[in-house]
Amino acid sequence: LDVQRTHLLRLDPMKIPTGGLLTLNATATDACYTGEQTSRSRQITFRIVPPEELFREILLLQQSERAKFRKQADEAAAVREQLTTLSNANDAIQLARRHRSVQREVIRITSSLSATLTEMRLNALATDEAYDLMQKNVLNPLKELNDELLNPQKDALDGLKPQDSKSLGDAMDRQDRITARMEEILKQ
């Protein structure tokens, strides 16, 4: 079985100087009927950095994720363009694959940005107002994009037949909304 526990470790009382190393590992003991068994995790080492440096690293990561999201917005626009020239079932399959690729990357970006927000909170690198703004203006809209538009589009494209003009029109309309929503998120 796999058991995961979270433990919050406060570094302030340890007074580790900037540039110092903190090495951690975990030990677990079970209650086996043949007797206790103890296991130890591998060691993980962290370098202590000043808050400004950590904040700068997080901002660089967020900017990198924004650039990747911009690329996915461009890919979503290309999917929309390809919808206008859809002519056979093979094209529809390729289009559905492209869309799923965009969706997977958007989910990964959302997860990465969420992790940066958690790291900022745990290290008290900004204000509660900044955290709320990122949650409200970026992370929530990304989740809504996936739930309200990307998922339904994935389902629609998986069953799309180029001869079905109504379904094709609905897919084009939804793709237009996807690209517009992605542009709105990029502005945030």
Side-chain angles (χ1 to χ4, degrees), residues 59 61-70 105-117 120-121 129-147 150 181-188:
L59 288 179
L61 178 60
Q62 289 174 343
Q63 289 171 352
S64 170
E65 294 301 326
R66 184 183 189 284
K68 292 172 187 171
F69 187 73
R70 161 58 67 198
E105 185 64 8
V106 167
I107 291 169
R108 191 207 56 75
I109 290 166
T110 303
S111 177
S112 178
L113 289 174
S114 180
T116 65
L117 179 59
M120 288 172 65
R121 278 190 171 125
E129 181 181 337
Y131 306 145
D132 292 341
L133 281 173
M134 185 169 174
Q135 185 69 48
K136 186 180 100 187
N137 294 341
V138 179
L139 294 174
N140 290 348
L142 281 169
K143 183 178 180 339
E144 291 166 4
L145 170 69
N146 185 58
D147 295 345
L150 294 176
R181 182 87 57 95
M182 291 176 96
E183 290 299 326
E184 288 171 22
I185 293 169
L186 278 166
K187 290 177 186 173
Q188 297 299 323

Side-chain angles (χ1 to χ4, degrees), residues 6 38 68 71 78 93 96 103 106 161-162 168 174 181-182:
T6 301
T38 301
K68 292 172 187 171
K71 185 177 177 187
I93 291 169
Q103 184 178 17
V106 167
K161 295 184 179 23
L168 189 58
R174 195 175 304 106
R181 182 87 57 95
M182 291 176 96

Side-chain angles (χ1 to χ4, degrees), residues 18 47-59 125:
T18 299
R47 183 174 60 91
I48 306 302
V49 297
E52 303 80 32
E53 184 179 333
L54 180 59
F55 190 61
R56 190 172 35 257
E57 287 176 19
I58 291 171
L59 288 179
L125 295 176

